[in-house]
Amino acid sequence: MKNFLKRKEAHSLSHNDLDDLPDLPSDPADRKKISEYHPNQRNEVIRSYLNRGPLIGGVLRRFNPAWFDKYPNWLEYSVKKDAALCLCCYLFKDDAGKVAKTVVWITDGVNSFHNNAVMKCENLMKRGQSIKHALHKQDDMTSPKIQKDIVHCFAEEVIKTINEEIDHDVFGLLVDESADVSYKEQMAVVFRFVDKSGIVKERFISITHVSETSSASLKYAIDSVFAKYGLSIKNVRGQGYDGASNMKGEFNGLKSLISRENTSAYYVHCFAHQLQLIFFYMISVLLNVVGASCKRKDMFRERHRETSEKEVNDGERNTGKGLNQDVSLQIPGNTRWGSHYRTLLHLVEVFSSIVHVFECVQNDDIEDSKKRQAHGLLRYFNNFDFVFYLHLMVHLLGLTDSLSTALQKRDQEILNDISLVTGVTNGHHFKVNCLNAVLDLQLQEFNDRFNEVNTELFICAASLSPIGSFAQFDQSKLMRLLKFYLSDFSSGECISLEQQLDIYIDNVRSDERLTHLQDLGELTRMLVKTQKHMIFPLVYRLLKLILILLVATATVKRCFSAMKIVKTDQCNRMGDQFLNDCLICFVEKDVFQIITNESVIKRFQDMKDRRIIL
């Protein structure tokens, strides 16, 4: 609970401070109503009066002085009014409404309101019964249901803040699915948008359990999320998924189902996946077989240790602090494509030790099935083709590893993305002749991933680039860009945009603050900072549409990594709603930090009737 309930010390006035204040007079006739004090100070004011006790004095007349001894906790005397009064009734008169019209004590007797007021005073002075102390005592004993309600309130406030950032504007949609620790398929949803400051953001919105991963099931789950938060598919301007058929299928894939409802929701295949999709299935088999038993693992470690010692003695291996540590087999991750490169590097290093293990299993194992499996794997991995492909993939993935890391930045934009990919592959194509065939295949894959519509979209969008003092600016291409976003610009706005572009290019080129910009993200931020987004609103709208085109699904993958932290083997019975709420607060930490306790308490109170008003 302490991870969610953000306590802050309430301002509490000491009794001495309260006694010194002019608005806490001693004579009852000079006192103002308790309701006129600030709500946060009322209990302290009441306690102060009770600690000080009733006022005793005045002319006695018919007043019996023995009453002060009989009713020491509430009976007091007002010099100005020359009357006996009840301190408890005064303190809680505002709670009585029309029942207690006066606080003057009379000889006819004391009504039930007086008894209730006295009881309230007694309870208030018992500090251990206050809500504040009760919460502190019960902090570690709060029922699971209340805990989940509080976490849900925080999550809903985070989503509310994100929706306010989007502000009913257009956004891009990133979707992916992965199994959690209890083998339930979970679908993560992330939005990419440009906020009011011109900053590109990717925000995690929801993780939803789906019974199956068909495109229809995913589409239904997305519709449910949109309906829950009052969003519309019509505002989607970009789709970003991996290369799975249920996602990118031309006829029944998720991108096709969404495109039928919104023709401006253009699909971009995840760039990071394009560079990492090729991997050897047999390598996974190899690593699983070697790591299947403790005996084989020990055999592998011992062989590698002997090999390392021999290489050190022969001067073939360097020694030093941190070098030549004990090794283990690194299995490639299901959601981290970069782990494939590290797996291949590791495999090259320990290849001879793995072959030795298979040879031992083939010659010494008792079970025929394991002998046959080891024999088949040895034939495959001792093959020249496999060794060549292994080193080839290490070389290629090494070239793309840093590029893949760059593509996974949250603020990466589509134009930089295109230049990074084409620049690396083309340069490598002309430098290394032995890889021509492979690179031709990669270029063919690139062409297959992006149809003519997407290609023209990117070519036209490049005209907005600010690099080289807007050297690529081409008004005709930008006007062609409008045909991709017919629902975002009316016919009148198309005419206005053409006129705005004439003024816009002269204005930004002459402004020194915009001279050295390197990407569209910097441009939008500077346009907002210099208030030019209000001067050229249509150009700014066009910029935002390009910026929300998706680059990579790295943000969704990070959500799955967070899911493994939140839902563990020891906590594998976590419900879907509680998992979703915890993940939203965990992933979107920066938004969570600005959520106030007051807003959460109000939402918590509004969920249903509570026995206690917080």
Side-chain angles (χ1 to χ4, degrees), residues 2 51 65-66 77 88 98 109 129 278 285 344 347 355 357 411 414 438 440 457 462 498:
K2 293 178 181 178
N51 282 325
Y77 189 88
C88 297
K98 298 180 179 179
Q129 294 187 6
I278 303 175
V285 176
L344 291 180
L347 181 58
V355 170
V357 172
D411 58 350
I414 201 70
V438 176
D440 286 341
L457 173 62
E498 188 170 12

Side-chain angles (χ1 to χ4, degrees), residues 487-553:
S487 60
D488 293 282
F489 295 90
S490 65
S491 57
E493 287 177 331
C494 291
I495 299 174
S496 297
L497 176 61
E498 188 170 12
Q499 297 170 344
Q500 269 190 29
L501 287 172
D502 289 330
I503 306 172
Y504 162 80
I505 190 60
D506 293 333
N507 186 284
V508 294
R509 281 176 175 170
S510 61
D511 195 327
E512 294 183 356
R513 295 171 293 181
L514 309 178
T515 304
H516 304 292
L517 301 181
Q518 296 299 315
D519 56 53
L520 295 181
E522 289 184 31
L523 176 58
T524 54
R525 290 193 293 272
M526 286 303 300
L527 288 179
V528 173
K529 186 176 180 179
T530 58
Q531 300 294 308
K532 292 183 185 294
H533 71 299
M534 301 178 67
I535 303 174
F536 308 107
L538 299 179
V539 178
Y540 184 71
R541 188 188 305 174
L542 199 59
L543 271 169
K544 289 199 298 183
L545 290 170
I546 298 303
L547 275 172
I548 61 177
L549 289 175
L550 291 312
V551 174
T553 58

Side-chain angles (χ1 to χ4, degrees), residues 9-67:
E9 295 297 329
H11 178 66
S12 179
L13 298 175
S14 67
H15 301 307
N16 293 333
D17 292 338
L18 288 169
D19 288 339
D20 294 338
L21 292 176
D23 60 343
L24 294 181
S26 297
D27 194 293
D30 297 329
R31 297 171 186 163
K32 63 181 182 181
K33 295 181 180 180
I34 295 295
S35 60
E36 295 178 6
Y37 291 97
H38 191 278
N40 291 343
Q41 294 181 348
R42 289 173 189 169
N43 282 352
E44 294 293 345
V45 171
I46 293 173
R47 286 194 182 97
S48 177
Y49 275 122
L50 292 173
N51 282 325
R52 192 167 56 190
L55 176 67
I56 301 175
V59 181
L60 297 180
R61 293 185 181 179
R62 292 189 302 164
F63 189 84
N64 188 347
W67 292 342

Side-chain angles (χ1 to χ4, degrees), residues 174 202 270 272-273 336 407-409 551-559:
L174 293 92
E202 291 184 357
C270 172
H273 277 76
R336 293 281 183 172
L407 291 173
Q408 295 176 34
K409 293 181 179 178
V551 174
T553 58
T555 303
V556 186
K557 301 298 183 185
R558 293 188 187 101
C559 297

Side-chain angles (χ1 to χ4, degrees), residues 232-262:
S232 173
I233 290 288
K234 297 297 183 182
N235 285 347
V236 176
R237 292 296 180 271
Q239 304 179 66
Y241 319 125
D242 58 22
S245 59
N246 62 333
M247 295 291 195
K248 70 179 184 63
E250 192 65 30
F251 299 102
N252 294 315
L254 178 61
K255 67 109 173 176
S256 301
L257 296 179
I258 293 179
S259 296
R260 289 171 191 169
E261 295 185 30
N262 182 0

Side-chain angles (χ1 to χ4, degrees), residues 380-500:
Y380 181 80
F381 290 112
N382 279 328
N383 188 297
F384 172 80
D385 288 345
F386 168 76
V387 176
F388 173 78
Y389 292 144
L390 174 61
H391 284 275
L392 176 64
M393 288 305 300
V394 168
H395 190 58
L396 285 177
L397 293 182
L399 290 172
T400 60
D401 184 61
S402 58
L403 173 60
S404 179
T405 302
L407 291 173
Q408 295 176 34
K409 293 181 179 178
R410 290 194 179 197
D411 58 350
Q412 185 61 265
E413 64 184 52
I414 201 70
L415 296 187
N416 279 349
D417 193 43
I418 292 286
S419 64
L420 285 172
V421 175
T422 56
V424 171
T425 53
N426 286 339
H428 194 61
H429 176 82
F430 290 111
K431 291 179 181 178
V432 187
N433 292 330
C434 66
L435 299 180
N436 278 351
V438 176
L439 292 169
D440 286 341
L441 290 174
Q442 284 192 334
L443 290 174
Q444 182 61 46
E445 177 76 6
F446 182 84
N447 291 331
D448 291 341
R449 298 291 182 187
F450 296 97
N451 55 33
E452 293 181 2
V453 173
N454 284 346
T455 303
E456 186 178 0
L457 173 62
F458 298 149
I459 292 174
C460 294
S463 300
L464 287 167
S465 174
I467 298 176
S469 296
F470 302 88
Q472 299 184 60
F473 180 82
D474 189 324
Q475 185 169 331
S476 61
K477 289 182 179 179
L478 291 177
M479 294 306 297
R480 280 164 49 195
L481 192 59
L482 293 183
K483 72 178 182 181
F484 296 99
Y485 299 105
L486 296 177
S487 60
D488 293 282
F489 295 90
S490 65
S491 57
E493 287 177 331
C494 291
I495 299 174
S496 297
L497 176 61
E498 188 170 12
Q499 297 170 344
Q500 269 190 29

